[in-house]
Amino acid sequence: MSKKLTLLGVACVVTLAALAAILGAATTANATRTDDQLVGAGSSFVAPLVSQWQNDYQTKTGVQIVYSPIGSGGGISAISARTVDFGASDAPLTPDQFDACKGCVQIPWALSATSIAYNLNGVKNNLKMTGPVLARIFLGDITQWDDAAIKALNPGVNLPSTKITPVYRSDNSGTSYNFTDYLSAVSPAWKSKIGVGVNANWPAGVGAKGSSGVAGVVAKTEGAVCYVDIAYAKTNKLQFMSIRNRAGKYTTPGLRGIKAAAASIKKVPASNELHIVDPAKGDPLAYPISTFTYVILPTKTDKAPQLRRFVFYALNPNQGQKFGPKLLFAPIPTVVLVASEKTLKKVQS
Amino acid sequence: MSAQPAQYSLRGTGRMKRRKRVNLAMEIVATAASAVAVAALVWLVVSVLIRGLPALNLDLFTKNQALFGQAGGGIANAIVGSFVIVAFATAFAFPVGVLCAIYVHEFAGATIRQAVRTTLDVLTGVPSILVGIFVFSILVAGGKQSALAGSVALAIIELPLIARGTQEVLALVPGSLREASLALGVSRWRTVLSVVLPTSLSGILTGTMLAIARAAGETAPLLVTSSIVANSTSLDPSKALNSLPVTIFVYSESPDPNQHAQAWAAAFILLVFVLLTNVAARAFLARGRRKLEGAPARRRRLRVYHLFTRP
Amino acid sequence: MQARTRRLGDRIGDVALRLLTGAAALGCIGLVGWIVYEIFELAWPAITEEGLSFVWQTTWDPVHEVFGAFDFIFGTLYTSFWALLIAAPISVAIGLYLSELAPAGVRGIVGTLVEMRAAVPSVVIGLWGILVLGPVVKDYIGPALGAVLGWTPFFKGTPGDVGQLSAVIVLSIMIIPITSSISRELFLTVPPDLKEAAFGLGLTRWEMVRGVVLPFTRSGVFAAIILGLGRALGEAIAVTQVIGNRQGVNWSLFETGDTLASRLANTFYGASSALEKSSLAYLGAILLVITLVANIGAQLIVYRFDPLRERK
């Protein structure tokens, strides 16, 4: 009896193993050799664009790009520990992080914007908003949608008395960096209380992981508001606000607004760190919460040739960058492109 | 028999009617509690069924993740990856667990026996996220993620289950069998290998199956050891591989209803696997026990069940 | 001649088996020590930097690099407390039902079903918690509780579909299978003659339970509850999916919160600065200490009072 049972057990295991082998073989036929692989992690902001690159790059060169959107902070940490081949972050490295990374460079390789997405049934899209009022919402000072401050900006709109639920990134996020960078620029109260960073001591609301997590919470919570890359807001059909820039105009995170904000860059500093939030009066079309996003590479690495080839592809206006506009990534301006390519040459074996 | 002093008067006090009513109330409460527990489980399983079943299609098993914003795609690499990771984990844990149990049963004195028992119980109690961080610190930090690192973490989780299960079942082997073999001049190691082990094989398999069911559902250790994964199916354990639990976790937090559907389907597959394995393991256990012993088996159930039902 | 070689082979085999299995056993014991060591080693920079005051410091600010564990310790203990409050009585009641009341057929089915719940992976419970339980809590359970108990500080505010209440429910769902199955086994060990004596004296079943069964198994049930608590304390995945991930000491169950295990699972891989990573490891060390205490405590109780303790 026990022999039969043992035989049965062994037979089960063998069958399962065979099944898995068949399944694996069938699908591994399409997988590439694993030496032709570049592993990266970091910003979920740039993930939609990288996703397009993965497909195209593999078809063109056979090299597989593996990318995981664990958040900009995670990307910086992973490349510092050399757990991955490249890191991606919307937040520029601090001097401490440069030290910890032991010889890294940051290269701006994409350009987009952070939208302020919200969920209010029956209310029109593109609600008007200003920086200071937004800061008060995320500080927890304004708790209802029909607050006087919001009403004043949107005369004629019927705002419900729903509770406002601010949604923020619970992981270390470059989008948080971009958003807090903007709020610090426009609200002294925010700057002194909270400051700028990939994460913060968020005083109010609900946290969620990753851009998709945040979009997920907003999609199912009435009255929620969050900051999330425009690509996620658009794909999930979330409402997003139009923000007043320094010129006094209300702009939305479209390609025009992003390009106009980026045009404020006349010269790229040596560290490649670029801030384009709340750009000066110059361009009335500029969307004030735009940001560049960086790829972080070690200057000395075995995979230097493959990495250089990949990032060149990504920066190329006719290759990587051409996938951008559909996902609301504007092509990076020439002055930045030149600086990026110059920095890329520093990556050697 | 240790009779504890009764704290309440054993003589009936008060009117019979009132006491009967109180009794009835308590019986209703107890029944209701069980009903609530069963209802919650049924609600859970039915939810997974209703939402997972419609999402099952061939694409799910043959394709991998779709590009950002696009519909469709599947979880083929997660299914294969889970299989690889759990297979390696069991391969690591099984020999160590069985050998450890043999030592405790055959050779150890009372102190070591108690020490190992306590250690294994403590090990079961370590939160799986901490096991993951431990493996991260010794295997991933300074290097890359890999499915093997994930397997080591899951092996640590499987180990106490296999060891305790084997130990329990070895203890059930009648002493007379062993003594007869030794009396015939068979050496100790031969006795263990050809008499004791085969008799307890079904029990060992049971313990292993329950350990596999538990490991297959673990998410936290894989989040830190095998989460940066490629969009293609692979059997290579030196790279990070996708897995069902991690996929469910990531998709559960996304806003995309398409990913939700795939998460439910993955949950359905995982749940079916885990429940079937549990049922099969119990059937094995009951059969094996019936073969070895009759009534005293009941007493052993205490430790055995508490061990196996502890996720 | 043949007998001698066989005996030599046997002796080598015996020694080999003893060494091999002994090594495995030693490895098991060593593993626990190694785990504790590694986690404390990861946490060491934070321990030296922040010291013991980390435990009652409430700020967790990655921007200004000030870290404190108190919010998460509170979250862990608070949600576990409420989960136990719900799960312990239900588990004992289920144990009693299955051992005393249920007819034979029902006993088998219900018992198996309750134990099956222990097999459900926590990520599946979390998925169900976000997409199914959450809306139900927001629309039905929350408002009902708010209507009845809204005046207490525990149910202030409006319920969302994530929050500490969802976490408490999810944790209860996980505690009940373990605690109830152990309780049931314990109740079955009460000597039948004690029970029959009570009936003979004219007691109702409930009085018999209250006067004989419960006192007899009291410490075992207590240990079972502690074991369940240990489970709840260490649960990371399902909790992080439904709790809302916000730090702060929130007494209201309708608010979002966070626990040690949840914060660890959520942010460990994405920690950006070395201090943050080791502060998270410090949280892990605290969690390890708490769960070890609970676990060893339960074992001590079982060891002391288990009427079936084997004397091998």
Side-chain angles (χ1 to χ4, degrees), chain C residues 80-157:
Chain C
S80 304
F81 165 75
W82 274 100
L84 268 189
L85 202 63
I86 299 177
I90 295 185
S91 306
V92 171
I94 294 176
L96 285 174
Y97 175 75
L98 288 175
S99 62
E100 297 290 327
L101 286 177
V106 175
R107 182 174 302 182
I109 300 179
V110 172
T112 316
L113 283 179
V114 172
E115 283 164 8
M116 280 307 170
R117 248 173 59 176
V120 178
S122 57
V123 70
V124 172
I125 299 184
L127 173 70
W128 173 81
I130 298 180
L131 296 179
V132 178
L133 181 67
V136 169
V137 165
K138 187 171 85 158
D139 296 331
Y140 301 105
I141 304 182
L145 283 171
V148 174
L149 296 167
W151 50 272
T152 58
F154 307 124
F155 293 99
K156 261 201 173 51

Side-chain angles (χ1 to χ4, degrees), chain A residues 77 168 172 199 201 205 207 209, chain C residues 63 244 246-247 266 270-272 276:
Chain A
S77 160
Y168 51 86
N172 292 329
N199 211 334
N201 203 350
K209 202 153 109 95
Chain C
V63 176
R246 181 174 125 224
Q247 61 222 41
N266 222 11
S272 54
E276 181 175 3

